[in-house]
Amino acid sequence: MAWTSIKRIYWESVIEWISQSTGFPPGNRIVWQLLRYIGTNASISVALTLNNAPHPQTNKPARSPANTVQDIAVIVLNWNSPVDTIACLSSIAEEILRNSSRCRVRLYPVDNGSQDHSCEQIADWIERHGDLDVCFIQNSHNLGFAGGMNAGFRAAEIDAPADYYWLLNNDLTLCPGALSALLDATSTDPSVAVWGPTIVHLNSDTIQCAGGGRYSRLLGMERKYLRGLPLDKVNCYRHRPTRFDFIYGAAMFIRGDIIRAHQGLDESYFLYYEELELARRLGREDRLDWCCESVVSHQGSDATSRDKGQRARSSYFAAYSACQYTWRHHRAFLLPMILIRMAGLAVQALRETNPELALAPWKAVFAFLSGRTPAPPQA
């Protein structure tokens, strides 16, 4: 026994020396081949050493057991639309009740400097749902989408770091089973960094976005996956391999270690393109994926596009963020992107008889080129 231990220590020292000399880890094939030339008894000792050597560390999380209770933080951003926000919160509350044995859900509604009675109405809803774990955050002014979401993220991190963060637009409502489908997906494949559900138009079975989509550098626009397809056709695409450039920002289910590593969303984007920037910063091993069975309904527009004036403001921020993202990552495409995008918006403005829609993007371009920060929209 003593002689065996001495031989093992000897061969461990040899392995360590070869690894340091060659730069290869102990389990590398080259190290193994070199050892074969050193001694005939190497195979037994090396096998013992390699079996007990630590495996290389990876960022891939271990598969979660089916009975693991996950900690989920849900962040919902409100801006002057309490009716939509309360409908969203109510649908989340129903999903929490359905999955109470599978996960702990903490709810973080964030008011982003609303100028109406949003805070009072949301606070009243929270008071009537005292059984929920809710932390209501009220920003003094509009911090933009990323800034508002990050306020909720930071509050959740202070309470307790979550396994997953679900960032939701306030004009979404969860369909029954939306959360449980995501929990199933994360247990099956925990290596996915960001999940996206199937998003359908409100009061319709038409798909608005299945998970995420691709990005056109030339147009500076996103192309949402399966957009316009009836929901009953979605099973045909369930197992089809799909590459995403982003997960649709209206509903991002983000792994906790991922959002912590990037300290939330990039607040240099006031509105739009935050999801593209997040996807851009992910590593090669951090996948984006679509959870087909998780379905949520969306009004199809955010809080900035209820009338012509608000549509123009929405167009302004979209154009500004497009310039910002293109300049940061695809500078050679900035000029053609601006020209093509403006031409398309001009045609759309003529069709809708909305001249502000044509002027707003040009104002955004000039603001970006002159280095001005976009001003928050007013109610």
Side-chain angles (χ1 to χ4, degrees), residues 114-342:
S114 295
Q115 299 170 352
D116 58 3
H117 299 288
S118 289
C119 292
E120 292 85 349
Q121 295 184 42
I122 294 172
D124 180 66
W125 183 91
I126 294 172
E127 187 176 352
R128 288 185 282 107
H129 293 77
D131 55 328
L132 299 178
D133 187 355
V134 185
C135 176
F136 185 26
I137 300 156
Q138 301 177 45
N139 296 329
S140 59
H141 60 283
N142 194 338
L143 301 178
F145 181 83
M149 286 295 183
N150 284 349
F153 164 68
R154 285 189 287 267
E157 286 288 290
I158 291 172
D159 290 344
D163 297 317
Y164 283 89
Y165 288 82
W166 204 0
L167 277 52
L168 296 174
N169 274 18
N170 68 321
D171 56 350
L172 284 166
T173 53
L174 308 187
C175 299
L179 178 57
S180 57
L182 282 167
L183 294 174
D184 292 339
T186 58
S187 298
T188 303
D189 192 353
S191 66
V192 174
V194 188
W195 288 95
T198 302
I199 301 177
V200 298
H201 288 283
L202 187 67
N203 301 322
S204 169
D205 285 337
T206 303
I207 294 176
Q208 186 181 121
C209 180
R214 302 300 303 274
Y215 176 73
S216 171
R217 293 177 293 177
L218 184 61
L219 301 177
M221 292 183 178
E222 302 168 342
R223 186 174 71 253
K224 300 178 181 67
Y225 186 53
L226 302 186
R227 181 177 181 177
L229 195 73
L231 184 60
D232 57 7
K233 302 290 185 183
V234 78
N235 286 333
C236 301
Y237 300 86
R238 183 191 303 265
H239 302 295
R240 185 174 298 183
T242 306
R243 177 191 166 190
F244 292 122
D245 293 330
F246 64 93
I247 293 298
Y248 191 27
M252 295 186 289
F253 199 75
I254 309 175
R255 217 171 64 211
D257 62 311
I258 293 295
I259 194 170
R260 275 189 290 275
H262 298 287
Q263 300 179 351
L265 302 179
D266 189 339
E267 295 186 24
S268 65
Y269 295 90
F270 186 85
L271 187 62
Y272 304 120
Y273 285 73
E274 305 89 350
E275 67 270 38
L276 272 165
E277 187 64 40
L278 175 64
R280 182 86 185 187
R281 290 187 290 170
L282 296 179
R284 289 182 176 271
E285 70 281 358
D286 299 323
R287 293 193 298 111
L288 309 175
D289 211 340
W290 164 42
C291 181
C292 172
E293 295 80 4
S294 178
V295 181
V296 302
S297 62
H298 188 211
Q299 287 190 9
S301 59
D302 54 56
T304 64
S305 55
R306 302 296 176 84
D307 55 33
K308 288 185 177 181
Q310 290 175 339
R311 274 183 55 78
R313 286 193 289 271
S314 176
S315 178
Y316 174 91
F317 286 105
Y320 190 97
S321 294
C323 292
Q324 188 177 354
Y325 181 83
T326 303
W327 178 254
R328 183 178 292 182
H329 300 295
H330 311 291
R331 291 192 179 185
F333 289 87
L334 182 62
L335 181 58
M337 182 276 293
I338 290 174
L339 295 176
I340 295 173
R341 188 185 185 98
M342 297 309 152

